[in-house]
Amino acid sequence: MTAVPPLGDADPATRILVAGYGAMTGGIIPHLTGLTATHVTIASRHLKEAPLPGTVLIRPDGIARARPDVVIGCFADDESSRTFWQHPQTRAAVRAHRSTCIELSTISPAWAESWHARITEAGGLPVECPVTGSRPGAQAGELTAFVHHPGPLDPAGLRVLDAFTARRFAFFHPGNPARFKVIFNAWGAALLHCAGVFARQLPEHLAEDYATAADAITSVGWMATLAASKLDRIERSDYSDADFAVQHMLKDLELARDLLGDLPLITTTAAAYTAAMDLHGPWADFTAVADRTGEAS
């Protein structure tokens, strides 16, 4: 593990700490290291070495040494998010440096509201910032973000967000980005399940005219955006190397159930993703919901 380089008090560089290394942060970090005058540190319990050139790896109990101006968290669930942000070292670092804290995860509205209060109490600026675009958007630096922060962003925080988001939608109330993201993801999950069901009907019923149908479905009509982005994976039954894992979508559907109640569409969609996870494993791409190979079993 690389030692954190000493940073003098007069060092003008923006010190960025990233916690929760995965497909999303793996796409974001090159955009951060590409900024001028930045030091990027990654906090991880599991990595054995810094995953990208120009970054430094530390353990969570060494966070204070990173002296972060900006802290970015991206986690699988509420529990992992709480564990990081409530870690004594994280709270001490935020308090000492009055850090801008950016939470990218899809979390429950209740934890989002509590998170705002805890970061504010520690002297930091909470930026609730769930994002959409999955791995391709992160790699392109073109994620869409749903944000709330109680005060204006400082120049360092603004520069960091500009590095990997193309659009940001501002919400008035804490927890509302989380509420919207939960509904947004559940809605998208249901649409993808539906697209998979009907996409599989086209070759069966159209035979050699399928190519014409695929051209139409990916270029015209209200479903064109979804079909253009996902039909290729569905055609190839390519569910490895996930842009977004099935297990994460199931977690988001459970958050939607908690928020919206036991809607029949949520129940049906969750059952389809559970079947996809049983068939392909938790780390399969979420387009695996379109696979029908296990229907007869």
Side-chain angles (χ1 to χ4, degrees):
M1 186 163 58
T2 309
V4 178
L7 302 175
D9 291 338
D11 190 338
T14 299
R15 297 179 292 269
I16 304 168
L17 174 65
V18 181
Y21 186 78
M24 187 72 73
T25 47
I28 288 170
I29 289 170
H31 299 289
L32 303 178
T33 59
L35 295 171
T36 58
T38 57
H39 295 293
V40 179
T41 301
I42 300 169
S44 173
R45 297 181 186 276
H46 308 294
L47 292 174
K48 298 188 183 308
E49 59 184 15
L52 295 166
T55 64
V56 171
L57 177 65
I58 61 173
R59 299 301 181 216
D61 59 4
I63 286 170
R65 292 183 291 127
R67 300 172 53 204
D69 300 302
V70 180
V71 185
I72 299 172
C74 188
F75 306 101
D77 50 34
D78 280 18
E79 182 180 0
S80 299
S81 176
R82 284 194 193 94
T83 297
F84 173 75
W85 292 110
Q86 294 181 171
H87 194 292
Q89 287 283 331
T90 305
R91 292 182 61 80
V94 170
R95 189 179 300 279
H97 302 286
R98 305 190 68 81
S99 311
T100 295
C101 299
I102 302 172
E103 174 56 278
L104 303 180
S105 316
T106 301
I107 54 178
S108 69
W111 168 234
E113 291 180 351
S114 179
W115 177 82
H116 275 277
R118 290 169 184 272
I119 297 300
T120 300
E121 186 276 331
L125 174 65
V127 181
E128 183 185 353
C129 188
V131 292
T132 189
S134 64
R135 182 174 58 175
Q139 290 175 337
E142 296 178 349
L143 292 169
T144 297
F146 314 115
V147 299
H148 173 78
H149 43 89
L153 284 172
D154 64 339
L158 184 60
R159 193 163 71 109
V160 166
L161 283 177
D162 283 345
F164 61 84
T165 62
R167 294 195 71 183
R168 295 193 291 272
F169 293 87
F171 288 74
F172 287 112
H173 300 291
N176 274 359
R179 290 181 182 88
F180 175 69
K181 183 65 183 338
V182 165
I183 296 170
F184 182 90
N185 276 15
W187 194 345
L191 288 173
L192 183 57
H193 171 38
C194 180
V197 169
F198 287 100
R200 292 296 186 191
Q201 305 301 319
L202 296 175
E204 178 180 345
H205 290 278
L206 296 177
E208 65 270 18
D209 281 325
Y210 172 70
T212 300
D215 184 23
I217 203 68
T218 56
S219 58
V220 298
W222 62 266
M223 69 285 282
T225 299
L226 175 62
S229 65
K230 301 302 179 188
L231 186 61
D232 180 58
R233 269 213 195 228
I234 292 172
E235 287 175 340
R236 293 182 284 114
S237 297
D238 177 12
Y239 312 125
S240 61
D241 193 21
D243 291 328
F244 189 74
V246 168
Q247 67 173 352
H248 296 330
M249 187 57 83
L250 266 172
K251 180 268 296 183
D252 293 349
L253 285 164
E254 289 306 314
L255 289 178
R257 197 194 306 271
D258 291 342
L259 178 65
L260 304 175
D262 197 16
L263 299 179
L265 187 57
I266 292 178
T267 299
T268 300
T269 303
Y273 280 91
T274 298
M277 187 168 71
D278 291 344
L279 190 60
H280 295 283
W283 294 106
D285 188 76
F286 66 144
T287 49
V289 74
D291 191 4
R292 298 172 65 201
T293 58
E295 285 185 352
S297 61

